Amino acid sequence: MSVSGRVGASHAVRTLLCLATVIGSAAMPGLALGARASATANARYDSTLSSATNSRAAKIRLIDDSLRGRSGKMLVRLVSRARATLALPLFARLFGDSAVERPGLYLLPDSLLAHPFAFIALRPFTDKQHGRLGPYRIGFWPSERGRLTTDAYENPDGFIEVTPENANMQISEHFKLADFLTHDQRDVWPKFLVLDEDLVDKLELVIAKLEESGVKVGHMAVMSGFRTPWYNRHGGRVGGRAELSRHMYGDAADVYIDNGNGRMADLNHDGRIDSRDARVILRAVEQVEKDHPELAGGVGVYRATRHHGPFAHVDVRGWRARWGRS
C-alpha cells in the first residue's frame, strides 16, 4: 500500500478551513480595522476573533468525533467511489478529488486532530481478475455467480491492500489490520482485506461495556476475521462454516478475551473456561445493540473443541440473529 506524503504545516491551516466547510460551517467574517479604530472596535475585534477561534475548535472537535465513530476509538476511515459517507468528501477536500482513484494510506497531519488519524483508499473490487488480485487468491462471491439473495450479500466495495509494512497499523484503539486478515497464504504479499468499519466500532463498544461491568479485558483476540470466499470454502477446517458466511463480507469476527494465557479468560469467575464465558460477551453485545440499534447483527456462542477454546461470533449484518448454546 502506498503512503501519501504528510500534509505540511502550512497546509494544515487550509485543511482546517476545508473540514469546517464540509460540515457546513460559515466563513469567518472579514474584519478590517483602520488606523483610527476606537478602543471599542478593538475590543469587538478581539471578541470576534476569540469567538471565531473557539468556533473553529468546536468544529474540529465535531469532525474528530464524527470520524472516530460511536466508540470514539476509530483511527481510520475507508473511502471509495462506492461509499457515500462523510469520509469521502472530507478525503477529497484534503487530498484532491482524484486521490480516491489511488489506493493507499493517507495520513492526516499530527497537528490537525488530537490523535493520529488516516484514510484508506480501497482497491476497487473490479481489480480482482479470475479470482485473484496479483498472486493473492481470493475466489468468488455468490453474487458474482448470479446467486445474489439480498442487498446484504452484494459484492464488497473494494479491498484494503495490506503489506508487511502496514499490517500492524492500528485501525482503532485495540485493533490492527493484521487482526482481521484471512489465515492463509502466509508468504504471499500484498494481501487483501475486506473490512466493515462498523464491525471494529462495535467491538470497541463491546470492550467498553465489558469493562464498565467490571470484566477485565486484557486483549480482545480475533480468532477469525475476514475470510476470502476461497478460504471459506476450502481453507483449513471448514466444518460448520456457512456458505454465505458474514466473514466473507468483512463484517464479522470470532473473538475471545485473552487476559494473558492465549485463551478465553474466566469472565464469569466460576473457575471454569467454557461457553458461559462467551455468553458474557453476548450480554455486552446485547447492551451495545440496545444503545446502537443501527449496529444490529448476529451473535453466536461456541463451545471449546480440541482445536480452539470457547468464543463468540459478532457481526453487523444489519438484523438481529442469535445462535449457540451454553
Side-chain angles (χ1 to χ4, degrees):
M1 179 185 292
S2 61
V3 179
S4 69
R6 287 183 177 271
V7 182
S10 62
H11 185 59
V13 174
R14 295 196 299 273
T15 300
L16 290 172
L17 297 177
C18 287
L19 290 171
T21 301
V22 171
I23 61 172
S25 64
M28 289 174 55
L31 297 172
L33 294 178
R36 298 179 183 178
S38 65
T40 300
N42 279 320
R44 186 181 305 115
Y45 173 80
D46 291 341
S47 175
T48 303
L49 185 60
S50 175
S51 176
T53 300
N54 291 338
S55 177
R56 178 189 295 175
K59 290 182 176 68
I60 296 306
R61 284 195 300 272
L62 175 61
I63 293 165
D64 198 15
D65 289 345
S66 66
L67 289 176
R68 296 197 188 277
R70 303 160 187 85
S71 66
K73 296 178 181 179
M74 298 296 295
L75 300 177
V76 301
R77 284 290 170 184
L78 309 181
V79 291
S80 75
R81 288 295 185 199
R83 288 175 175 259
T85 65
L86 173 65
L88 183 57
L90 285 173
F91 175 78
R93 286 183 177 272
L94 287 164
F95 300 103
D97 290 337
S98 63
V100 71
E101 310 295 346
R102 298 188 296 274
L105 174 64
Y106 293 78
L107 306 175
L108 287 186
D110 293 338
S111 59
L112 187 57
L113 300 177
H115 302 286
F117 196 85
F119 293 94
I120 297 176
L122 299 180
R123 184 86 174 261
F125 184 83
T126 52
D127 282 2
K128 181 172 71 73
Q129 298 295 320
H130 309 294
R132 292 176 179 262
L133 265 171
Y136 192 74
R137 181 178 52 216
I138 295 175
F140 299 91
W141 274 263
S143 58
E144 295 181 90
R145 304 296 199 188
R147 291 185 289 139
L148 177 65
T149 54
T150 69
D151 290 346
Y153 295 97
E154 290 181 339
N155 295 332
D157 294 337
F159 305 94
I160 301 171
E161 187 172 324
V162 183
T163 68
E165 292 74 30
N166 67 31
N168 288 318
M169 173 188 174
Q170 293 288 148
I171 56 175
S172 71
E173 183 174 317
H174 294 98
F175 298 101
K176 302 176 182 179
L177 281 175
D179 291 330
F180 298 93
L181 285 172
T182 303
H183 298 312
D184 71 344
Q185 305 175 79
R186 295 185 183 278
D187 297 325
V188 178
W189 297 95
K191 302 179 188 297
F192 293 92
L193 171 64
V194 174
L195 184 62
D196 190 322
E197 300 136 300
D198 281 346
L199 171 66
V200 183
D201 205 12
K202 184 174 185 175
L203 294 177
E204 288 285 0
L205 289 166
V206 170
I207 291 172
K209 284 295 183 185
L210 288 169
E211 292 178 333
E212 286 173 13
S213 64
V215 175
K216 178 184 177 183
V217 182
H219 172 59
M220 178 178 277
V222 179
M223 193 168 76
S224 180
F226 171 58
R227 294 202 291 257
T228 64
W230 189 93
Y231 185 80
N232 191 69
R233 178 178 289 270
H234 303 288
R237 295 178 297 274
V238 299
R241 292 182 190 168
E243 183 179 0
L244 290 177
S245 169
R246 295 312 310 175
H247 289 272
M248 297 193 304
Y249 297 87
D251 61 12
D254 298 335
V255 300
Y256 61 92
I257 303 303
D258 175 8
N259 285 339
N261 61 4
R263 60 175 184 169
M264 174 72 90
D266 182 10
L267 302 184
N268 64 354
H269 306 293
D270 66 355
R272 295 179 293 182
I273 307 297
D274 56 26
S275 61
R276 293 179 181 85
D277 298 299
R279 293 189 68 82
V280 175
I281 298 175
L282 181 150
R283 288 193 290 271
V285 174
E286 295 279 13
Q287 293 174 317
V288 168
E289 291 188 4
K290 181 179 179 181
D291 293 341
H292 303 279
E294 71 278 11
L295 294 178
V299 185
V301 173
Y302 289 84
R303 296 177 174 180
T305 72
R306 63 190 180 93
H307 300 295
H308 59 71
F311 66 90
H313 167 107
V314 180
D315 68 49
V316 286
R317 66 182 62 196
W319 65 92
R320 177 185 169 88
R322 299 290 184 268
W323 65 93
R325 299 185 300 157
S326 61

